[in-house]
Amino acid sequence: MKYYGDLRSFITALDEMGDIMHVQREVDGDFEPSAITRRSYEIQSPAPLFHKVAGVAPGFRLFGAPAALSSRSDMPYARVAMSLGLAPESSGPEIIEALSAARFKPGIPPVRVESAQAECQQNILRGDAANLDRFPIPFAHDKDGGRYANTWGTLIVKTPDGKWVNWSIARVMKVDGKRMVGLIVPSQHIGQIWTQWVARGEPMPYALVQGPAPAISCVSGIPIPAHADEADYIGTLAGEPVPVVKAISLDLDVPATAEIVIEGHVSIERDCQEGPYGEYGGYLGEGSSAQPTFHVETITHRDDPIWPMSITGRPTDESHTLWAMGLAADALTYLREAELPIKTTWIPEDSTVHWLLVVMPENWRELLPGISSEELTQRIGEVLFKTDAMVFIPKVYVVDDDFDPTNLREVVWALSTRVHPVGRRAVFDDQRVIRLPQCYDEAEYVAGKGAKVVFDTLQTKRHLHASFAQGYPEEVRQRILDNWPE
């Protein structure tokens, strides 16, 4: 296992395993980088690194699909695993266990370095020179409301009293060279902090960090408890402190090895239209909403900086790998804290974060004596739907552990044959609903409430599978394997 302390060493490692596609020809500055990245997701190709982008200075680069499925079929989650300092061959459940386990370990606080030691401040742009137009920011999709300046960067903000520093990912659209507009959801952590600045009548300082150490991007995009420090949690995953440096113009610390840091203040009003944007559910966006303006005041960057991007849409992109794993790890943590003997949790990539599988061990009835599967299903829903992260998940399936939850073919087989047409489910009405999940009616979006469901697919008796593994004597199977192919 190896932790990558900056984006460049991570890209080099991926390149060495054949998982980088070097695009050396010049690409346009509008749609071509995004379209290539989107196709790379859909055919599971190496991650594209764009070396020449029209309209920007030589040396400025774009990097697509940083945490998507790997092109290596023998290690599909390698980009996520390596980002977190895990072995590239780690399975999905192993990554989820690591994310959950780190929440119970002491955090390792970041360490501040001097500006001269911080690669992110090799170049400092102030005033009119601090302009987004100099960077290769493409349109993500052709129906979007503008160029999206943030799809995989980390937003750093803190409460006015300085007690809570939050690192997160939220989509931010470029308005012009000196302004951006970001989607700030009141229930999310950045929304809670922005609300405190609004109450004070002061614009919120922010730093938007592009291309930090991959673990920073990953942790910024997954749920951890409110008021927890992402920097400390990343230090735990890395086994070493994150080096940070004081921002040039703000009282915020930023990752020292980042590629680009944008500094400024966020308006206290929702004074600019944001969107539409093609989101993780797999559909092009429609409509826009009033959101706060992010004013650009100072920009710092490394020499020949790399701007990473996630082009969300149909599976499989970072929303369906890293973010889904983070949500599953959050669910696993809360269920185990409720003393339920969960084997693992998993969100199939192709469900676009609309399904959660809760996997029970074969002996769960022995571990929960006197509890029926109906009662277990109800309890699982009661625990999960109280958590913030589950606002995104409308459907939960409680399943046995006799199939591989990460194999979509097996998931479809198991759910198709075990979900009862009308019964064996716990319905939870009047749950929190936001517009990002695609399955609700307009009236439910307006009301902010709708139903969620937990399906009980647990077998009263384990049935043997009509399969090679379970349908033949062991000596026959071994003889066939020894002579395969004939």
Side-chain angles (χ1 to χ4, degrees):
M1 295 191 296
K2 175 178 173 55
Y3 174 71
Y4 299 95
D6 69 353
L7 181 62
R8 299 183 186 203
S9 61
F10 174 70
I11 290 174
T12 297
L14 291 181
D15 202 11
E16 290 172 351
M17 56 188 280
D19 200 29
I20 292 291
M21 174 173 61
H22 292 276
V23 182
Q24 299 286 0
R25 67 175 178 83
E26 184 177 83
V27 294
D28 69 47
D30 294 326
F31 295 109
E32 204 170 5
S34 302
I36 291 170
T37 299
R38 181 103 288 278
R39 177 165 167 75
S40 80
Y41 292 128
E42 295 173 11
I43 66 172
Q44 207 167 324
S45 80
L49 178 63
F50 303 93
H51 292 267
K52 299 175 184 176
V53 182
V56 298
F60 283 35
R61 292 165 287 171
L62 281 166
F63 177 48
L69 291 175
S70 170
S71 61
R72 291 278 301 267
S73 60
D74 57 332
M75 47 182 71
Y77 303 111
R79 292 183 206 168
V80 176
M82 293 166 64
S83 294
L84 298 171
L86 302 174
E89 63 272 15
S90 298
S91 69
E94 287 172 339
I95 295 171
I96 287 172
E97 288 288 348
L99 290 172
S100 179
R103 289 171 62 157
F104 298 98
K105 297 178 182 178
I108 299 178
V111 58
R112 183 185 278 189
V113 301
E114 297 300 321
S115 180
Q117 302 172 278
E119 292 94 332
C120 71
Q121 294 179 352
Q122 288 174 337
N123 300 271
I124 300 173
L125 308 174
R126 298 181 173 91
D128 292 341
N131 194 303
L132 297 173
D133 291 339
R134 69 173 60 227
F135 295 96
I137 305 172
F139 287 94
H141 321 89
D142 79 342
K143 303 298 184 186
D144 289 350
R147 301 174 186 272
Y148 269 78
N150 195 46
T151 57
W152 194 241
T154 294
L155 282 163
I156 300 178
V157 299
K158 68 178 177 181
T159 53
D161 61 12
K163 293 181 179 179
W164 179 17
V165 178
N166 177 245
W167 293 10
S168 66
I169 291 180
R171 73 189 202 202
V172 179
M173 186 180 83
K174 177 185 173 184
V175 178
D176 54 37
K178 298 295 290 183
R179 294 180 300 159
M180 304 179 289
V181 57
L183 180 65
I184 291 188
V185 179
S187 61
Q188 294 181 332
H189 294 169
I190 189 172
Q192 296 171 30
I193 294 174
W194 179 70
T195 300
Q196 293 188 31
W197 285 97
V198 170
R200 284 174 62 116
E202 298 179 18
M204 178 177 70
Y206 79 91
L208 173 54
V209 180
Q210 299 292 350
I216 295 174
S217 300
C218 288
V219 171
S220 299
I222 65 175
I224 66 173
H227 298 278
D229 194 319
E230 284 85 2
D232 292 11
Y233 178 79
I234 294 161
T236 299
L237 288 171
E240 59 186 59
V242 175
V244 295
V245 63
K246 186 180 181 302
I248 295 296
S249 61
L250 306 170
D251 185 23
L252 290 172
D253 284 343
V254 299
T257 64
E259 295 288 326
I260 302 159
V261 179
I262 302 165
E263 304 174 13
H265 288 79
V266 182
S267 64
I268 62 174
E269 297 178 350
R270 296 184 184 271
D271 52 5
C272 192
Q273 289 296 119
E274 186 273 337
Y277 179 70
E279 267 290 359
Y280 68 89
Y283 300 93
L284 291 174
E286 297 179 0
S288 62
S289 62
Q291 299 294 338
T293 301
F294 288 63
H295 295 277
V296 177
E297 296 159 12
T298 304
I299 300 177
T300 70
H301 66 83
R302 295 178 68 154
D303 295 336
D304 298 330
I306 303 171
W307 190 296
M309 58 183 184
S310 171
I311 307 301
T312 52
R314 286 178 55 174
T316 303
D317 56 55
E318 288 75 15
S319 298
H320 317 123
T321 56
L322 182 279
W323 184 46
M325 290 182 190
L327 292 173
D330 191 69
L332 180 65
T333 301
Y334 282 111
L335 290 170
R336 286 182 175 168
E337 285 181 338
E339 299 183 346
L340 296 175
I342 310 301
K343 183 171 184 178
T344 191
T345 53
W346 185 252
I347 295 175
E349 294 100 72
D350 292 86
S351 78
T352 61
V353 198
H354 284 61
W355 294 358
L356 170 70
L357 306 185
V358 177
V359 184
M360 303 301 298
E362 186 171 7
N363 67 337
W364 73 263
R365 288 178 174 85
E366 299 172 20
L367 300 171
L368 295 172
I371 301 295
S372 67
S373 64
E374 293 82 3
E375 291 170 321
L376 174 63
T377 299
Q378 180 71 28
R379 179 63 179 140
I380 286 172
E382 290 171 353
V383 171
L384 290 179
F385 295 138
K386 291 178 182 177
T387 67
D388 290 335
M390 285 299 292
V391 71
F392 299 100
I393 310 281
K395 306 178 189 81
V396 178
Y397 297 84
V398 186
V399 300
D400 290 302
D401 67 350
D402 62 335
F403 68 96
D404 179 2
T406 71
N407 183 316
L408 185 64
R409 177 178 293 179
E410 295 190 28
V411 170
V412 172
W413 167 73
L415 297 188
S416 299
T417 58
R418 299 176 190 179
V419 173
H420 192 277
V422 293
R424 299 185 61 198
R425 67 194 67 189
V427 177
F428 294 79
D429 293 313
D430 296 326
Q431 299 297 308
R432 289 179 299 160
V433 165
I434 59 176
R435 286 192 175 270
L436 290 174
Q438 297 287 328
C439 56
Y440 292 100
D441 297 331
E442 180 62 24
E444 293 171 305
Y445 291 127
V446 172
K449 290 187 178 297
K452 299 194 174 188
V453 62
V454 184
F455 293 92
D456 172 10
T457 78
L458 296 169
Q459 303 168 91
T460 55
K461 174 187 176 183
R462 291 287 180 101
H463 298 284
L464 290 175
H465 303 174
S467 65
F468 178 77
Q470 295 188 20
Y472 306 93
E474 182 179 356
E475 63 272 16
V476 173
R477 287 187 282 117
Q478 191 58 54
R479 185 163 63 250
I480 290 171
L481 292 174
D482 291 343
N483 291 279
W484 189 279
E486 292 178 320

